[in-house]
Amino acid sequence: MAAPSQPQKSTYDVIVIGAGIQGSFTAYHLAQRHKDTLLLEQFLLPHSRGSSHGQSRIIRSAYPQEYYSRMMPESFRLWQQLEAETGTTLYRQTGLVVLGPPGEPELEACRRSLGVDEVLDATALAQRFPGFRLQAGQVAVLDSTAGVLFADRALRAVQEVFRRHGGTLWDGEKVLRIEPGAMVTVTTTAGVYKAPRLIITAGAWTGAFVEQLGLRLPLQPLRIDVCYWREKHPGSAGLGSVSPCFLTLGLSQAPHGIYGLPSIEYPGLMKVCHHHGSPTDPEKRDQAPSSVPRPDIALLSSFISSYLPGLETQPAVVETCLYTNTPDEDFILDRHPKFSNIVIGAGFSGHGFKLAPVVGKLLCELSLGEEPSHNMAHFAITRFPGVLGAAQ
């Protein structure tokens, strides 16, 4: 809902900038805590300009990093809670196979995070999931809890519950200026708002916002090719809607990893993407000329011919998405080092969607001055040197 040109209400308990999945869950938790919350979004909803659009995302328990795997049980529980609150199905359990060389440290860490010893070799994987072909000596770890989140539906659902709890969501309203203080002032294209607490979850636009506040975060927006691949013979590749998701770890030809989801969005098309992309300006992402080389697609074509031989080796559909990466690909969830009533959630690096219910809870806790419910050491701004480089 767009804001009126002269909004009657201008003061809130909390303002959240950015209504992607992270900001929306942050606002959801605040509203459930009876905080009068304003959620601002620069584009008219729904839109495909950020990182939260599209129909599907992977959700999984397997994580190489223990601090993420510890969050996943609560994340699953909160997704189920949202399903119950809205009467909407947001998740389909498909399982996930993690592919890579045996003994690869991240693959072993995933196995340990699941607490299982079942490791499939090439023969066992092909018997269980005929569409997959491992290379000699490689193995697969199975995460039976994993599946697909219906992303667009999930974003609508969390925003619906936020509004139901009394939250205010203005879309089509771009933030122009942030003035820190005991009462933070946020000036937009439609009005001026004040609150004692501000949370910035603006995705690829976060870096520009925090520069206004004297903070230089190492955030790199990336333009990602989201590719869909057709089965050579429909129904015969074993890669239909009942096949598992997958991701690769430690493959020399794909150092950033490749992931895939079954044919849910487009019938007969499997989603297979490289977990990496090209640096971009989020304001110009959709202006990329067609002549720009796309090395990620060549890398994916080679992977598919070896590992998913039932698929055509050229994509049938190519869409785009934004990642906003940190150098270590861990999130930033922290208070501003100088303005403690301003909280920042950023750098979700292409793997934050599944964790959004917990991220939103943590950002809510930080904003309210509470002890966070998870260890935040890996998400601190201060892990990056020189972030307070801009003059005030």
Side-chain angles (χ1 to χ4, degrees):
M1 177 180 177
S5 58
Q6 286 295 116
Q8 293 181 331
K9 182 177 174 64
S10 62
T11 304
Y12 294 84
D13 293 335
V14 193
I15 298 171
V16 180
I17 298 175
I21 196 65
Q22 311 295 347
S24 294
F25 258 115
T26 301
Y28 160 98
H29 283 289
L30 287 162
Q32 288 194 322
R33 303 282 290 275
H34 307 292
K35 300 301 177 187
D36 187 11
T37 305
L38 172 63
L39 178 58
L40 292 169
E41 170 56 47
Q42 65 173 321
F43 302 115
L44 291 171
L45 294 170
H47 69 83
S48 59
R49 299 290 303 277
S51 303
S52 296
H53 69 283
Q55 296 179 56
S56 62
R57 297 291 191 280
I58 294 174
I59 183 169
R60 54 188 164 105
S61 297
Y63 246 109
Q65 299 89 349
E66 187 180 12
Y67 42 96
Y68 291 123
S69 63
R70 285 179 175 175
M71 293 178 180
M72 284 312 304
E74 183 178 17
S75 193
F76 273 104
R77 180 180 64 77
L78 289 170
W79 280 116
Q80 290 164 359
Q81 178 180 304
L82 183 62
E83 284 186 316
E85 287 175 312
T86 57
T88 306
T89 300
L90 302 177
Y91 161 70
R92 179 186 295 177
Q93 187 171 356
T94 64
L96 170 128
V97 288
V98 187
L99 315 174
E104 200 279 330
E106 289 197 327
L107 186 70
E108 283 299 304
C110 281
R111 185 185 61 78
R112 288 193 300 271
S113 75
L114 295 170
V116 299
D117 292 321
E118 182 182 23
V119 176
L120 307 177
D121 62 13
T123 302
L125 182 68
Q127 288 174 344
R128 191 152 183 176
F129 305 115
F132 291 88
R133 178 188 294 165
L134 279 178
Q135 304 307 293
Q138 294 178 347
V139 296
V141 171
L142 176 62
D143 178 355
S144 60
T145 70
V148 177
L149 287 168
F150 303 124
D152 283 343
R153 195 184 301 175
L155 186 61
R156 288 194 301 271
V158 69
Q159 291 170 354
E160 175 192 324
V161 177
F162 166 65
R163 286 197 184 101
R164 197 188 299 165
H165 282 85
T168 301
L169 170 56
W170 294 145
D171 64 351
E173 186 165 352
K174 186 173 183 176
V175 172
L176 303 175
R177 187 167 66 256
I178 300 167
E179 298 167 59
M183 289 291 285
V184 183
T185 302
V186 177
T187 302
T188 75
T189 50
V192 178
Y193 308 99
K194 293 179 181 289
R197 306 172 187 89
L198 173 69
I199 303 172
I200 301 173
T201 51
W205 289 264
T206 298
F209 282 132
V210 300
E211 278 194 14
Q212 297 180 33
L213 303 170
L215 202 55
R216 288 181 177 158
L217 295 180
L219 297 171
Q220 176 60 69
L222 298 177
R223 183 179 185 273
I224 306 296
D225 288 323
V226 181
C227 303
Y228 299 83
W229 310 76
R230 193 180 308 281
E231 294 176 272
K232 291 178 180 175
H233 306 288
S236 65
L239 294 168
S241 60
V242 296
S243 71
C245 302
F246 77 86
L247 62 88
T248 72
L249 292 172
L251 296 187
S252 58
Q253 66 267 47
H256 297 283
I258 292 170
Y259 65 92
L261 295 86
S263 56
I264 291 173
E265 300 184 36
Y266 300 107
L269 301 185
M270 187 174 185
K271 181 177 179 177
V272 182
C273 308
H274 188 208
H275 189 68
H276 195 59
S278 307
T280 191
D281 177 344
E283 295 289 352
K284 300 176 180 176
R285 174 196 122 184
D286 296 328
Q287 300 172 20
S290 58
S291 59
V292 169
R294 303 182 105 155
D296 294 319
I297 293 180
L299 181 153
L300 289 168
S301 296
S302 175
F303 172 84
I304 282 169
S305 65
S306 298
Y307 289 81
L308 300 166
L311 298 180
E312 300 283 355
T313 55
Q314 291 299 314
V317 176
V318 180
E319 299 173 346
T320 61
C321 187
L322 286 179
Y323 286 5
T324 305
N325 280 36
T326 60
D328 56 14
E329 297 189 4
D330 281 331
F331 309 157
I332 292 172
L333 309 173
D334 205 354
R335 298 181 184 94
H336 190 292
K338 190 171 179 181
F339 309 113
S340 61
N341 60 342
I342 298 178
V343 171
I344 299 159
F348 296 101
S349 302
H351 67 106
F353 200 101
K354 68 184 77 62
L355 283 154
V358 177
V359 165
K361 180 182 175 184
L362 291 169
L363 293 173
C364 170
E365 291 166 345
L366 284 172
S367 181
L368 298 179
E370 299 174 356
E371 183 68 25
S373 50
H374 290 273
N375 186 339
M376 304 292 279
H378 292 278
F379 311 126
I381 286 173
T382 51
R383 74 186 192 268
F384 302 115
V387 292
L388 279 169
Q392 281 296 303

